[in-house]
Amino acid sequence: MGRKKLKIQRLEDLKAREAKYSKHKTRIQKKAKELNILCEVDVVLLFSSPSGRPTLFVGKNSNGLSSILKRLPNLSFEERQERRAYTIELYEDELQELKDKLVEKSKILRDGRNPNNVEDLNQIKMMEDHLIASLNGLRSRKNQLAIEQQIRERESGVGLSISMKLFMHFQL
């Protein structure tokens, strides 16, 4: 039985994301170390964990991070342009995907104002879920305000009864 291909998407649970990060970081560092030793290339990896902690990996055969950074400005203008174009190309697909999601979410928001325009059952379900979540938030806030108001009324009532008792005591 073969391995199942998993869809690559963001993990919502922070603990699961940190565990996955730690596991993959270790694998990537191992591969970088192998590449460094086998091919005698300088390797520098910089990670930033989901919690924001940075990790720097520098291969053993290199003269350190500073020697690699000193070489970068020595690249020709054409090489830098080539690398920049390659980087942009890498992120173009991701950018297009984000743009498509933005268009989709904008359409949902537009259609949310007029539910009669909605023809997709999934979109109606999403709108309903959003309304339910909003309503639950409003109910929670209403209950919180009611409790706070009751506490204030009790405190002012207690203060009033104490002042009434003091008034009655001194009147006698």
Side-chain angles (χ1 to χ4, degrees):
M1 183 177 204
R3 294 174 81 179
K4 195 175 189 181
K5 176 98 173 151
L6 296 176
K7 184 178 179 185
I8 302 296
Q9 60 186 13
R10 182 178 185 269
L11 297 172
E12 295 301 323
D13 183 31
L14 181 61
K15 286 186 179 183
R17 196 171 32 225
E18 286 179 345
K20 186 71 75 171
Y21 164 79
S22 177
K23 191 170 162 185
H24 281 273
K25 179 183 80 167
T26 305
R27 285 191 214 150
I28 290 172
Q29 285 178 326
K30 181 180 176 188
K31 291 293 180 187
K33 183 178 178 182
E34 289 172 4
L35 186 65
N36 175 246
I37 293 169
L38 292 172
C39 302
E40 292 186 356
V41 295
D42 292 333
V43 178
V44 175
L45 298 174
L46 177 62
F47 297 99
S48 179
S49 73
S51 60
R53 289 186 308 267
T55 302
L56 178 65
F57 172 82
V58 180
K60 292 193 186 274
N61 292 347
S62 67
N63 295 328
L65 178 63
S66 60
S67 69
I68 295 171
L69 292 176
K70 286 177 185 173
R71 282 186 266 158
L72 286 177
N74 296 334
L75 292 175
S76 69
F77 179 76
E78 290 80 22
E79 273 185 301
R80 283 188 294 213
Q81 289 298 95
E82 197 175 294
R83 287 175 186 231
R84 187 174 293 124
Y86 175 73
T87 304
I88 290 171
E89 184 181 311
L90 284 176
Y91 290 108
E92 275 181 345
D93 292 337
E94 187 177 343
L95 179 62
Q96 187 59 46
E97 188 177 310
L98 290 171
K99 284 180 180 179
D100 293 344
K101 281 184 182 179
L102 179 63
V103 167
E104 179 185 335
K105 299 296 179 183
S106 297
K107 182 181 182 319
I108 290 171
L109 287 173
R110 260 193 325 276
D111 292 344
R113 293 187 186 117
N114 188 359
N116 295 330
N117 292 344
V118 180
E119 297 176 4
D120 182 22
L121 184 60
N122 289 331
Q123 190 173 348
I124 289 175
K125 286 180 181 177
M126 285 175 41
M127 291 168 63
E128 182 182 22
D129 291 343
H130 178 71
L131 287 171
I132 290 170
S134 295
L135 185 59
N136 288 337
L138 284 171
R139 284 182 181 147
S140 175
R141 181 66 179 144
K142 181 182 100 175
N143 291 336
Q144 181 184 3
L145 289 173
I147 290 169
E148 289 174 3
Q149 183 178 356
Q150 287 176 350
I151 291 171
R152 282 194 302 272
E153 287 174 357
R154 283 186 195 146
E155 288 174 353
S156 65
V158 169
L160 182 61
S161 64
I162 291 173
S163 60
M164 288 296 280
K165 286 179 185 176
L166 287 172
F167 178 73
M168 296 295 279
H169 177 71
F170 288 113
Q171 287 293 328
L172 297 174

